[in-house]
Amino acid sequence: MEYKYLTKEVIEKIEYFKNKYLTKEQAIIPSLHTIQEIYRDIPHEAVRELSDYLKIPEAEIEGIVTFYDMFRFEKKARNHIRLCRNLPCHLAGSRKFLRMLEKLTGAEAGGHSPDGKWYIELVECIGSCAIAPSFLINYDLYDGSSIKSEEDLKKILERYD
Ligand code: FES
Protein backbone atom coordinates (compact mmCIF):
# COMPACT_ATOMS: atom_id res chain seq x y z
CA MET A 1 0.00 0.00 0.00
CA GLU A 2 1.30 3.43 -0.90
CA TYR A 3 1.10 5.95 1.89
CA LYS A 4 -0.04 9.49 1.43
CA TYR A 5 -0.26 10.60 5.05
CA LEU A 6 2.30 8.31 6.63
CA THR A 7 5.27 10.26 5.38
CA LYS A 8 8.83 9.40 6.34
CA GLU A 9 8.59 11.85 9.22
CA VAL A 10 5.37 10.28 10.54
CA ILE A 11 6.74 6.75 10.16
CA GLU A 12 9.87 7.67 12.12
CA LYS A 13 7.67 8.83 14.98
CA ILE A 14 5.50 5.70 14.82
CA GLU A 15 8.64 3.56 14.96
CA TYR A 16 9.80 5.55 17.98
CA PHE A 17 6.47 4.89 19.74
CA LYS A 18 6.55 1.21 18.80
CA ASN A 19 9.97 0.85 20.38
CA LYS A 20 9.06 2.87 23.42
CA TYR A 21 5.99 0.87 24.39
CA LEU A 22 5.50 -2.81 25.08
CA THR A 23 2.76 -3.39 22.53
CA LYS A 24 2.03 -1.86 19.14
CA GLU A 25 -1.49 -1.05 20.38
CA GLN A 26 0.08 1.42 22.80
CA ALA A 27 1.56 3.23 19.84
CA ILE A 28 -1.87 4.03 18.38
CA ILE A 29 -2.71 7.08 20.51
CA PRO A 30 0.65 8.86 20.22
CA SER A 31 0.67 8.08 16.48
CA LEU A 32 -2.78 9.64 16.13
CA HIS A 33 -1.54 12.71 18.01
CA THR A 34 1.31 12.99 15.55
CA ILE A 35 -1.04 12.72 12.58
CA GLN A 36 -3.40 15.29 14.03
CA GLU A 37 -0.58 17.69 14.83
CA ILE A 38 0.60 17.58 11.24
CA TYR A 39 -2.73 17.51 9.41
CA ARG A 40 -4.83 19.43 12.00
CA ASP A 41 -7.43 16.67 11.98
CA ILE A 42 -7.39 12.96 11.18
CA PRO A 43 -8.12 12.00 7.59
CA HIS A 44 -9.93 8.66 7.22
CA GLU A 45 -7.26 7.64 4.76
CA ALA A 46 -4.60 8.20 7.42
CA VAL A 47 -6.44 5.79 9.72
CA ARG A 48 -6.41 3.20 6.95
CA GLU A 49 -2.71 3.73 6.43
CA LEU A 50 -1.97 3.50 10.14
CA SER A 51 -3.99 0.30 10.33
CA ASP A 52 -2.00 -1.14 7.45
CA TYR A 53 1.31 -0.06 8.93
CA LEU A 54 0.66 -1.30 12.46
CA LYS A 55 -1.32 -4.35 11.30
CA ILE A 56 -4.15 -3.39 13.61
CA PRO A 57 -7.78 -3.47 12.37
CA GLU A 58 -8.98 -0.16 11.01
CA ALA A 59 -12.14 -0.37 13.12
CA GLU A 60 -10.05 -0.48 16.29
CA ILE A 61 -8.22 2.71 15.37
CA GLU A 62 -11.41 4.40 14.21
CA GLY A 63 -12.98 3.46 17.53
CA ILE A 64 -10.19 5.27 19.37
CA VAL A 65 -10.55 8.40 17.23
CA THR A 66 -14.29 8.41 17.85
CA PHE A 67 -13.99 7.66 21.56
CA TYR A 68 -11.58 10.40 22.56
CA ASP A 69 -12.74 14.01 22.31
CA MET A 70 -9.17 15.10 21.74
CA PHE A 71 -9.22 13.53 18.26
CA ARG A 72 -11.29 14.76 15.36
CA PHE A 73 -11.88 13.15 12.01
CA GLU A 74 -11.46 15.19 8.91
CA LYS A 75 -14.92 16.40 8.06
CA LYS A 76 -15.54 15.53 4.48
CA ALA A 77 -19.27 15.78 4.41
CA ARG A 78 -22.26 15.67 6.69
CA ASN A 79 -22.91 12.02 5.87
CA HIS A 80 -20.39 9.33 5.23
CA ILE A 81 -21.37 6.37 3.04
CA ARG A 82 -19.16 3.31 3.20
CA LEU A 83 -19.80 0.75 0.50
CA CYS A 84 -18.09 -2.61 0.68
CA ARG A 85 -15.99 -3.45 -2.35
CA ASN A 86 -14.92 -7.00 -1.49
CA LEU A 87 -15.73 -10.01 -3.59
CA PRO A 88 -19.05 -11.20 -2.10
CA CYS A 89 -20.44 -7.68 -2.31
CA HIS A 90 -18.94 -7.18 -5.73
CA LEU A 91 -20.63 -10.36 -6.98
CA ALA A 92 -23.87 -9.18 -5.45
CA GLY A 93 -23.76 -6.04 -7.57
CA SER A 94 -21.95 -3.39 -5.53
CA ARG A 95 -20.68 -1.70 -8.72
CA LYS A 96 -24.17 -1.16 -10.02
CA PHE A 97 -25.14 -0.01 -6.59
CA LEU A 98 -22.29 2.48 -6.52
CA ARG A 99 -23.47 3.98 -9.78
CA MET A 100 -26.91 4.52 -8.26
CA LEU A 101 -25.39 6.09 -5.16
CA GLU A 102 -23.20 8.38 -7.23
CA LYS A 103 -26.12 9.46 -9.36
CA LEU A 104 -28.41 10.18 -6.43
CA THR A 105 -25.88 11.89 -4.15
CA GLY A 106 -23.75 13.73 -6.70
CA ALA A 107 -20.64 12.35 -4.97
CA GLU A 108 -18.14 10.02 -6.54
CA ALA A 109 -16.37 7.16 -4.78
CA GLY A 110 -13.56 8.73 -2.76
CA GLY A 111 -15.08 12.17 -2.96
CA HIS A 112 -17.82 14.39 -1.65
CA SER A 113 -20.87 15.91 -3.23
CA PRO A 114 -20.73 19.59 -4.22
CA ASP A 115 -23.27 20.46 -1.50
CA GLY A 116 -21.09 18.85 1.18
CA LYS A 117 -23.86 16.45 2.14
CA TRP A 118 -22.33 13.16 1.07
CA TYR A 119 -19.01 11.45 1.05
CA ILE A 120 -18.68 8.00 -0.52
CA GLU A 121 -15.93 5.65 0.47
CA LEU A 122 -15.25 2.16 -0.85
CA VAL A 123 -14.16 -0.02 2.04
CA GLU A 124 -13.04 -3.54 2.79
CA CYS A 125 -15.50 -6.12 4.17
CA ILE A 126 -17.69 -4.60 6.87
CA GLY A 127 -18.62 -8.01 8.23
CA SER A 128 -22.08 -8.08 6.70
CA CYS A 129 -21.54 -10.32 3.70
CA ALA A 130 -24.89 -12.05 4.29
CA ILE A 131 -26.66 -8.88 3.17
CA ALA A 132 -24.35 -8.11 0.26
CA PRO A 133 -23.97 -5.63 -1.23
CA SER A 134 -23.90 -3.97 2.17
CA PHE A 135 -23.21 -0.39 3.05
CA LEU A 136 -23.18 2.01 5.96
CA ILE A 137 -24.51 5.52 6.10
CA ASN A 138 -22.71 7.01 9.07
CA TYR A 139 -23.26 4.17 11.57
CA ASP A 140 -26.47 2.75 10.05
CA LEU A 141 -26.04 -0.55 8.28
CA TYR A 142 -28.10 -1.28 5.14
CA ASP A 143 -28.91 -4.41 3.24
CA GLY A 144 -28.27 -3.53 -0.38
CA SER A 145 -29.99 -6.70 -1.58
CA SER A 146 -33.32 -5.38 -0.31
CA ILE A 147 -33.01 -2.21 -2.36
CA LYS A 148 -34.55 -2.96 -5.71
CA SER A 149 -34.69 0.41 -7.37
CA GLU A 150 -33.36 3.94 -7.39
CA GLU A 151 -36.60 4.98 -5.75
CA ASP A 152 -35.93 2.62 -2.78
CA LEU A 153 -32.45 4.06 -2.36
CA LYS A 154 -33.70 7.62 -2.68
CA LYS A 155 -36.10 7.03 0.21
CA ILE A 156 -33.21 5.92 2.40
CA LEU A 157 -31.03 8.88 1.43
CA GLU A 158 -33.85 11.27 2.24
CA ARG A 159 -33.63 10.24 5.89
CA TYR A 160 -30.37 12.16 6.18
CA ASP A 161 -29.89 15.93 6.47
S1 FES B 1 -17.68 -8.78 1.57
FE1 FES B 1 -18.95 -7.08 1.68
S2 FES B 1 -19.56 -7.05 3.75
FE2 FES B 1 -18.24 -8.71 3.63
Side-chain angles (χ1 to χ4, degrees):
M1 174 179 199
E2 235 178 63
Y3 296 141
K4 178 174 164 199
Y5 294 99
L6 265 55
T7 57
K8 195 166 159 273
E9 179 196 0
V10 175
I11 287 178
E12 272 169 17
K13 294 221 169 137
I14 297 171
E15 280 304 311
Y16 168 77
F17 299 133
K18 271 171 69 188
N19 293 327
K20 185 172 173 191
Y21 299 111
L22 285 176
T23 66
K24 60 182 183 177
E25 281 74 13
Q26 288 173 298
I28 298 175
I29 288 181
S31 300
L32 287 171
H33 274 298
T34 301
I35 290 168
Q36 188 162 276
E37 264 166 44
I38 296 175
Y39 301 105
R40 306 178 66 131
D41 46 27
I42 300 185
H44 289 275
E45 189 60 29
V47 169
R48 183 167 313 132
E49 292 177 10
L50 186 61
S51 146
D52 182 73
Y53 190 79
L54 290 176
K55 303 285 173 269
I56 290 174
E58 200 177 318
E60 199 175 314
I61 301 177
E62 277 203 351
I64 290 173
V65 177
T66 316
F67 182 79
Y68 290 103
D69 287 343
M70 60 193 173
F71 294 127
R72 6 167 239 287
F73 267 129
E74 179 185 33
K75 258 218 156 316
K76 289 221 153 158
R78 297 200 296 284
N79 299 291
H80 191 157
I81 300 174
R82 293 182 177 89
L83 176 65
C84 174
R85 64 172 163 204
N86 283 167
L87 192 61
C89 283
H90 179 75
L91 294 175
S94 63
R95 281 222 147 270
K96 191 173 150 216
F97 204 75
L98 173 63
R99 281 198 294 275
M100 263 203 304
L101 273 174
E102 288 179 331
K103 183 175 166 200
L104 292 173
T105 61
E108 285 182 6
H112 55 279
S113 57
D115 61 1
K117 184 172 178 183
W118 302 104
Y119 176 71
I120 301 178
E121 183 182 16
L122 297 179
V123 296
E124 304 302 323
C125 178
I126 51 177
S128 307
C129 324
I131 54 169
S134 57
F135 66 104
L136 290 158
I137 300 184
N138 303 328
Y139 293 100
D140 305 326
L141 177 66
Y142 288 98
D143 171 357
S145 67
S146 70
I147 297 167
K148 304 289 178 211
S149 66
E150 239 176 67
E151 202 46 45
D152 292 347
L153 183 57
K154 201 168 162 207
K155 278 191 198 130
I156 290 176
L157 296 176
E158 280 169 358
R159 294 176 194 160
Y160 296 86
D161 290 328

